[in-house]
Amino acid sequence: MVQEKKLVQDVSGWLRVYDDGSVDRTWTGPPEAKFMAEPVSPHEQFIDGIATRDVTIDQNSGLRARIYLPEEENPKFPIILHFHGGGFCISQADWFMYYQFYTRLAKSIPATVVSVYLRPAPENKLPAACDDGYAALLWLKSLSKGESNEPWLNTHGDFNRVFLIGDSSGGNIVHEVATRSGFIDLNPLRLAGAIPIHPGFVRAQRSKSELEQPESPFLTLDMVDKFLALALPNGCTKDHPITCPMGSSAPPIETLSLPPLMYCVAEKDMIKDTEMEYYEILKKANKDVELFISTEMGHSFYLNKIAIDTDPVTAAQTSELIEGIKVFINKH
């Protein structure tokens, strides 16, 4: 007799974990939102001004990335190294929610975007996703030195203008990779800036905004608690340095060598209070940081294609965010 496996965790329609350790990431939320979590196949021919391809960064680990290349005459484009969100547990670089935003961003700047397929928890607990992000930066360094070759990047990428960008938990990875990069010589690559967008900075104790701000399709208290419990090393709380870089267990911010930051916060983000706590510590440490606030918006609003298409305010705020990133990149 085959024993039926039992459900251990169910996280807001996004993920289910069973007692045998297996994980099911089939979307079980509203069917009309499923398309945003569907993979988009790479296309090396230009569609709406962008071509995409998937490449293997590391043959041994199988680490991969998706590259977005704009159809522009510029000889060299800045390189944006992108870390997707998903609470370290869900989503991947080829999902439509990222495709619709990062094709638009790559075309607007214009820039090449390199989006890393991060290993998910709970199968790969932290710091696995941070290690993947750092490995991708070191791969870009090897390309810049001519030690390895990726035709699109070696032909079109400006390794003197490399930027990190990350959505939600990807913003945590931006901080972690930027921190690690401060301890090594990246030459001839130059890390020109970092853009954490609505990073998943939290504390073990609930913040005021977590208790008062509305939940959104891309962030619920259930997701904050359960995803991070699944992702963090066993026995750790949300006060871990990866999720709470402003906490006492993290290296003091003033001791870190960080690139210029464009720090993006949504006014109605549930975790706004702890996100702003990180910003205030950056300012106090005299770090080069610009704050960009999206008014009336919730967590990762710019990835919600339904809202962009149906709500003029979300559409306008998404356009403003893209313009803000463009301005930041063009001046660095």
Side-chain angles (χ1 to χ4, degrees), residues 295-314:
T295 56
E296 295 296 308
M297 292 292 105
H299 192 80
S300 296
F301 69 90
Y302 57 95
L303 299 179
N304 187 342
K305 190 66 166 69
I306 297 172
I308 292 167
D309 288 345
T310 59
D311 175 39
V313 178
T314 302

Side-chain angles (χ1 to χ4, degrees), residues 51-68:
T52 61
R53 73 173 355 157
D54 287 346
V55 298
T56 300
I57 290 175
D58 186 323
Q59 298 293 342
N60 295 322
S61 68
L63 182 64
R64 296 184 304 137
R66 169 154 296 190
I67 303 175
Y68 297 79

Side-chain angles (χ1 to χ4, degrees), residues 166-193:
D167 323 286
S168 191
S169 57
N172 300 55
I173 299 172
V174 167
H175 170 82
E176 187 70 17
V177 172
T179 296
R180 294 188 196 184
S181 73
F183 293 102
I184 63 165
D185 180 10
L186 287 171
N187 277 323
L189 181 148
R190 182 176 73 98
L191 189 57

Side-chain angles (χ1 to χ4, degrees), residues 266-312:
E267 185 182 29
K268 292 192 172 178
D269 197 329
M270 214 170 58
I271 55 174
K272 182 181 73 171
D273 286 358
T274 35
E275 289 173 337
M276 288 303 295
E277 188 184 348
Y278 174 84
Y279 169 73
E280 294 300 338
I281 288 174
L282 288 172
K283 290 294 288 181
K284 191 175 178 184
N286 293 313
K287 299 301 180 187
D288 182 352
V289 56
E290 300 174 25
L291 180 64
F292 186 95
I293 296 180
S294 298
T295 56
E296 295 296 308
M297 292 292 105
H299 192 80
S300 296
F301 69 90
Y302 57 95
L303 299 179
N304 187 342
K305 190 66 166 69
I306 297 172
I308 292 167
D309 288 345
T310 59
D311 175 39

Side-chain angles (χ1 to χ4, degrees), residues 14 34-35 38 65 68 76 82 90 97 99 120 150 159 164 172 202 204 229 236 246 248-249 260 268 281 298 303 321:
W14 288 103
K34 187 174 187 288
F35 76 97
E38 295 280 3
Y68 297 79
K76 295 285 184 180
H82 169 242
I90 59 163
M97 66 173 69
Y99 178 84
E150 198 301 308
F159 293 97
L164 307 177
N172 300 55
V202 291
C236 293
M246 58 283 183
S248 57
S249 62
K268 292 192 172 178
I281 288 174
L303 299 179
L321 176 61

Side-chain angles (χ1 to χ4, degrees), residues 83-150:
F83 312 126
H84 64 72
F88 307 107
C89 292
I90 59 163
S91 91
Q92 56 191 47
D94 60 1
W95 275 17
F96 179 77
M97 66 173 69
Y98 303 113
Y99 178 84
Q100 62 87 23
F101 183 77
Y102 284 94
T103 49
R104 195 174 157 191
L105 185 68
K107 198 161 53 173
S108 296
I109 291 172
T112 51
V113 176
V114 179
S115 184
V116 187
Y117 286 87
L118 303 166
R119 285 174 293 166
E123 302 96 323
N124 306 279
K125 289 199 174 267
L126 290 171
C130 300
D131 293 343
D132 290 345
Y134 186 57
L137 180 65
L138 295 182
W139 175 66
L140 291 180
K141 178 190 173 184
S142 77
L143 294 178
S144 73
K145 294 178 77 173
E147 296 172 349
S148 50
N149 182 59
E150 198 301 308

